[in-house]
Structure formats: structure tokens, C-alpha cells
Amino acid sequence: DAKTTQPNSMESNEEEPVHLPCNHSTISGTDYIHWYRQLPSQGPEYVIHGLTSNVNNRMASLAIAEDRKSSTLILHRATLRDAAVYYCILPPSSGSRLTFGEGTQLTVNP
Amino acid sequence: EAGVAQSPRYKIIEKRQSVAFWCNPISGHATLYWYQQILGQGPKLLIQFQNNGVVDDSQLPKDRFSAERLKGVDSTLKIQPAKLEDSAVYLCASSFSWGGTDEQFFGPGTRLTVL
């Protein structure tokens, strides 16, 4: 599986945008970029995924660099409920195995 | 739509005892996963089923862990005998099929403490 690198932690203020970076310099042409998050004492939940183009859904936006070696998860207005560990994952193109790293712990200040 | 169900939510046992966890995936989901999450780490895949066949069990400690998926629906994960290092949250997840874009839905997990 292609390796991803994320900052260990980030802080944000409530109602401000948050940009969570992820580096994946060894990504292959067919690897999708997935983001999951894990709220305290819960199982992970899917946030968004993309291949080449930027993607938007009701939870977040995903901005993918032109060379695909990095991506950024964007939370447009952080809420206290967004405090979680965010994981950037590249599942193998031949299957659905998710390899979780340590992710980024996002703290949202009121 | 009902989510992934797991039971029990908590379990405390002594080392060398046996324990079993149960998972009911989302209806219609062909793929089922068991993950182990040790405190402070991300989840690690233990085993993946496609219907009732094993797709990936490369990280399952087969000397003590076993899993089955009866009739391609519910699944059980068993540890026998348990060790102290098995203390973790065991997460079950399911997805509609087995593809790189399929969203995985996770259950709430079972927190196991081995004393």
C-alpha cells in the first residue's frame, strides 16, 4: 500500500476553516485517496474520497494536487463535533484493505 | 438504514481465557472486515471476508485468533487463549462490495481488557 504522511496534530477555532494536509508521494496512477475520521470512543467514519479532481460533499472538500503527491481535506466551518482523528488512506487498487496510520488529531477550540 | 452492530460493547477477561465477539453487518453488504485498534494507534486489519470466503487474513495471529462468517452474513471473531497484549478495541466494518472506492461502515467496536 502507498504510504501517507500527516501531521500528528492540528488546532482550529470553531467556525473557521480547517485544512488538513496529507502527503503521498508514492501514489500510483490508480490509487484513490480516502479520508476517514474517528470521533472519541467511536468507530471510524468515511468522510470523502477522490482520484484526480477536487471533490465536495456535505461533510468536506478534498483538494488534490495536480501531481497527486499530496491532498488536503478542507472543513469549511469547523464545529466542536469535528474534533477527531483524521486519517488519509490509499487503498490498493485491487482491493479494499484500509491501512490506517496514526492520523491527525484535530482539536477545535470554542 | 441500520448500521453495523457489534456485541458485546465491553469485555473484561483474564489472560489465557477465551472470548468471542459478534458482528452483524449492514444488510446486503458482501464484504466484512475485522480490525484491531490498540490505544493510541490506528485500526489494523485482521481479516477480510468476501461473502463467506476469506480474502485477506495476513495479519491475523492464527495461533490464537479465528474468525468465521456464517452464510455470508454475521461474523464472529474468537481469541483463545487471550494474552495481555490483546487488550484493544475490536472493530467490525462492512462494505457493499470489494473495490477501491467502496465506503466502509464501521460498528461501535468491542473494548476488550485482558487482565
Side-chain angles (χ1 to χ4, degrees), chain A residues 38 41-44, chain B residues 4-11 21-23 33-37 88-93 105-112:
Chain A
Q38 188 169 21
S41 301
Q42 294 188 25
Chain B
V4 176
Q6 291 189 246
S7 68
R9 291 296 312 277
Y10 304 92
K11 189 74 176 178
F21 312 126
W22 174 82
C23 172
Y33 315 78
W34 283 101
Y35 291 83
Q36 178 194 57
Q37 186 171 24
V89 175
Y90 291 85
L91 295 159
C92 179
F105 295 82
F106 285 79
T110 296
R111 181 176 298 277
L112 173 67

Side-chain angles (χ1 to χ4, degrees), chain A residues 32 34 36 38 44 96-97, chain B residues 33 37 56 59 98 100 104:
Chain A
Y32 279 81
H34 287 236
Y36 281 74
Q38 188 169 21
S96 54
R97 172 199 187 111
Chain B
Y33 315 78
Q37 186 171 24
D56 183 351
Q59 299 191 102
W98 180 44
Q104 291 188 24

Side-chain angles (χ1 to χ4, degrees), chain A residues 43-65:
Chain A
E45 66 174 343
Y46 167 84
V47 177
I48 200 167
H49 78 271
L51 182 61
T52 56
S53 304
N54 294 345
V55 184
N56 301 295
N57 66 19
R58 63 174 179 82
M59 289 181 70
S61 296
L62 176 60
I64 301 172

Side-chain angles (χ1 to χ4, degrees), chain A residues 80-95:
Chain A
L80 296 178
R81 195 193 172 277
D82 291 322
V85 179
Y86 287 78
Y87 298 99
C88 170
I89 303 168
L90 276 59
S93 56
S94 59

Side-chain angles (χ1 to χ4, degrees), chain B residues 3 6 18 38 45 56-57 68-69 79 83:
Chain B
Q6 291 189 246
S18 302
I38 293 172
L45 180 70
D56 183 351
D57 63 357
E68 61 180 1
R69 189 178 185 195
I79 307 175
K83 292 185 175 182

